[in-house]
């Protein structure tokens, strides 16, 4: 059974918004911080945003002020609201626990920002 299921990606114009969703298994979600990561073609996977079990948040400098991470501890979900999207945000987005305690990666969800 997949531990993470991501959804919500798509094609959006520059300046647009998308909301990504991640459903996680309860055994992981209740004890771990959760992060959103992304991997663009030819680049390494990078951390975009992180949220602790009590709601403390951290963001990569490249997305501060544009992206918002949130979690629902009752539903075992973590969302990523992305506003003012730029072409450089184009990537496959994944959710997972923080390094070094990565779990098996899900299939991710593709976000393409293009006019």
């Amino acid at each position: 059974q997949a531990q993470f299921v991501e959804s919500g990606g798509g094609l959006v114009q520059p300046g647009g918004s998308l909301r990504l969703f991640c459903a996680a298994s309860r055994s992981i979600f209740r004890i771990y911080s959760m992060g959103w990561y992304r991997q663009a073609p030819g680049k390494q996977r990078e951390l975009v945003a992180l949220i602790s079990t009590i709601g403390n948040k951290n963001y990569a400098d490249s997305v501060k002020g544009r992206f918002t991470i949130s979690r629902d501890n009752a539903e075992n979900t973590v969302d990523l609201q992305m506003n003012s999207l730029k072409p450089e945000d184009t990537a496959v987005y994944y959710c997972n626990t923080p390094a070094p305690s990565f779990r098996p990666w899900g299939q991710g969800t593709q976000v393409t920002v293009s006019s």
Side-chain angles (χ1 to χ4, degrees):
Q1 183 177 359
Q3 293 182 314
F4 305 111
V5 179
E6 301 94 347
S7 63
L11 173 63
V12 64
Q13 292 186 340
S17 298
L18 280 175
R19 190 174 184 92
L20 305 184
F21 307 92
C22 170
S25 65
R26 185 169 181 269
S27 62
I28 294 171
F29 197 85
R30 65 188 180 93
I31 60 174
Y32 281 98
S33 296
M34 290 295 299
W36 277 98
Y37 302 79
R38 67 186 180 187
Q39 186 167 21
K43 294 188 177 181
Q44 288 190 331
R45 193 170 292 170
E46 63 174 351
L47 176 64
V48 174
L50 195 65
I51 186 167
S52 73
T53 54
I54 58 172
N56 295 323
K57 304 174 184 181
N58 287 285
Y59 298 93
D61 287 344
S62 59
V63 306
K64 279 180 182 176
R66 300 188 298 122
F67 290 11
T68 302
I69 190 171
S70 60
R71 66 188 290 162
D72 185 329
N73 289 335
E75 296 294 328
N76 304 321
T77 58
V78 56
D79 296 353
L80 186 69
Q81 177 66 43
M82 306 186 297
N83 298 327
S84 302
L85 282 161
K86 304 176 181 180
E88 51 264 43
D89 295 318
T90 295
V92 179
Y93 284 70
Y94 305 85
C95 62
N96 209 320
T97 50
S101 303
F102 288 138
R103 302 307 196 194
W105 294 90
Q107 63 180 14
T109 186
Q110 175 71 48
V111 172
T112 303
V113 184
S114 175
S115 55

